[in-house]
Amino acid sequence: MVAHVGVLSCCLPSTGFLLLFQSKRNLHRPFAMAALSDDPIRDWIVTEGKAKHITRISPVGGGCINFANRYETDAGPFFVKTNRRIGPSMFEGEALGLGAMYETKSIRIPKPFKVGPLPLGGSYIIMEFIEFGSSRGDQSVLGKKLAEMHKAGKSTKGFGFDVNNTIGSTPQINTWTTDWIEFYAEHRLGYQLKLAREQYNDSTIYEKGQRLMKNLGPLFENVVIEPCLLHGDLWSGNISSDKNGEPVILDPACYYGHNEAEFGMSWCAGFGGSFYSSYFEVMPKQPGFEKRRDLYMLYHYLNHYNLFGSGYRSSAMSIIDDYLRMLKA
């Protein structure tokens, strides 16, 4: 999920301030309440993280939903995200996704360590800190590694994920479904269309979108669809490289789905020809790929419409209208 230009300015005050604020608030709490640690992040780092000292906490930029900080310790650095408004379920979903991608042993992923609640409300996640390089790395290597993850990450349960998670701050429903077209229509397009109707009273996009949902079948003729583990929110802000130039992907919205759905954010991911060439060497292109590209972008345009407003409506509406004409629906 990429933030609207006007939203980027909300990013990332220091968690150091957050911890100081918590500390001052805690002076007025009854002693009996102290059973929940005042600083569970520190407690984990100096126990399970095997550090003796935290030497520095510094903010890390790049997002506008959570606070992000680097914790320097004598045992090495840790990356910590906190959110003062949302409970642990959001980070639990992220941790499960990171863990699933990490287990494929394909592309580099920050290993998740710990998720928990903050004592004054909200939640945190602690994970491996990866030192980024000076560029996003080689696109051909990224394409190959991503395809290897899709090939390795399979599900016997169908399409979905073990938990619901979030795409940006929008809930993402991952109820297990055996049929991909049904899953994508109901839990991706349908959910976003309902949000648009509820939030903006936009009956036009809802009704046209419903027509499209009922007529997706011809776009998938002669296509074999296997549930692949997807990052789910692969745009340029979630792609980097480590200091050795190896690609790194982070901040996922994972689920098991059609591998082509991974390219739904390609309108702001900057994938080039070498990326796709390398990807398709591992995961061969299926018939009708070009006809389905905009369908997978539609989900993300609808999500941006619901998150950031009418600036994204025309793109979503144009895609819907084009498909309705193509499908004569």
Side-chain angles (χ1 to χ4, degrees):
M1 188 279 299
V2 58
H4 185 276
V5 171
V7 179
L8 290 174
S9 60
C10 69
C11 297
L12 299 177
S14 167
T15 298
F17 169 80
L18 172 62
L19 296 176
L20 176 62
F21 174 74
Q22 290 175 342
S23 177
K24 290 181 177 179
R25 286 280 303 271
N26 290 342
L27 292 174
H28 303 287
R29 296 169 64 208
F31 180 75
M33 296 288 287
L36 178 63
S37 168
D38 286 346
D39 192 348
I41 297 169
R42 179 189 179 281
D43 288 354
W44 185 91
I45 288 174
V46 300
T47 54
E48 298 297 317
K50 297 180 170 53
K52 294 180 180 178
H53 306 288
I54 296 171
T55 57
R56 185 181 179 190
I57 302 172
S58 54
V60 178
C64 54
I65 296 172
N66 306 301
F67 302 104
N69 283 272
R70 173 175 178 162
Y71 277 61
E72 296 283 0
T73 80
D74 59 309
F78 295 91
F79 183 71
V80 178
K81 292 198 296 187
T82 59
N83 189 298
R84 289 181 285 177
R85 297 178 296 105
I86 301 174
S89 61
M90 179 178 70
F91 288 142
E92 286 168 356
E94 179 177 353
L96 286 172
L98 289 169
M101 292 192 298
Y102 187 87
E103 288 300 315
T104 67
K105 298 179 172 60
S106 51
I107 191 168
R108 189 161 188 198
I109 307 290
K111 185 178 182 180
F113 296 130
K114 177 69 175 177
V115 172
L118 291 169
L120 296 178
S123 54
Y124 67 90
I125 180 171
I126 305 171
M127 66 184 81
E128 173 190 7
F129 185 92
I130 296 177
E131 192 78 53
F132 292 155
S134 57
S135 72
R136 291 178 61 203
D138 188 323
Q139 286 226 345
S140 63
V141 177
L142 173 63
K144 178 176 181 290
K145 295 285 188 180
L146 184 66
E148 289 172 350
M149 185 184 86
H150 290 168
K151 193 169 185 177
K154 300 296 185 183
S155 167
T156 59
K157 299 179 182 178
F159 303 97
F161 203 55
D162 283 333
V163 298
N164 295 332
N165 46 29
T166 56
I167 180 77
S169 59
T170 307
Q172 182 168 259
I173 307 304
N174 295 317
T175 304
W176 289 109
T177 309
T178 56
D179 182 81
W180 168 249
I181 298 176
E182 178 186 344
F183 176 88
Y184 190 71
E186 181 65 26
H187 299 310
R188 293 297 177 263
L189 300 183
Y191 187 83
Q192 293 286 345
L193 290 166
K194 288 175 186 175
L195 286 182
R197 184 179 61 175
E198 293 168 2
Q199 187 166 225
Y200 303 119
N201 197 29
D202 194 338
S203 59
T204 300
I205 202 167
Y206 175 81
E207 290 167 5
K208 287 189 172 185
Q210 290 289 314
R211 282 167 52 198
L212 174 59
M213 286 167 54
K214 295 171 183 176
N215 291 276
L216 295 177
L219 296 172
F220 293 89
E221 291 176 352
N222 303 314
V223 179
V224 177
I225 304 175
E226 295 182 348
C228 298
L229 179 62
L230 307 181
H231 175 282
D233 191 15
L234 201 61
W235 67 288
S236 59
N238 292 341
I239 302 168
S240 189
S241 65
D242 64 19
K243 58 186 178 182
N244 297 318
E246 288 294 311
V248 179
I249 57 176
L250 57 152
D251 288 347
C254 284
Y255 64 100
Y256 290 89
H258 187 197
N259 66 301
E260 294 175 11
E262 192 76 284
F263 309 132
M265 282 291 288
S266 60
W267 48 281
C268 55
F271 298 143
S274 63
F275 168 86
Y276 287 108
S277 295
S278 295
Y279 180 89
F280 289 130
E281 285 178 6
V282 179
M283 293 286 287
K285 184 189 292 188
Q286 297 236 27
F289 169 76
E290 285 77 13
K291 290 196 300 185
R292 292 183 294 272
R293 290 184 73 166
D294 285 357
L295 181 68
Y296 291 132
M297 292 185 194
L298 177 58
Y299 171 57
H300 295 279
Y301 276 122
L302 286 169
N303 185 46
H304 279 64
Y305 175 33
N306 284 315
L307 285 174
F308 305 123
S310 60
Y312 293 95
R313 184 185 186 277
S314 62
S315 295
M317 195 75 253
S318 177
I319 291 174
I320 292 172
D321 285 338
D322 286 346
Y323 275 115
L324 292 177
R325 283 191 293 269
M326 178 195 304
L327 299 166
K328 298 178 181 177

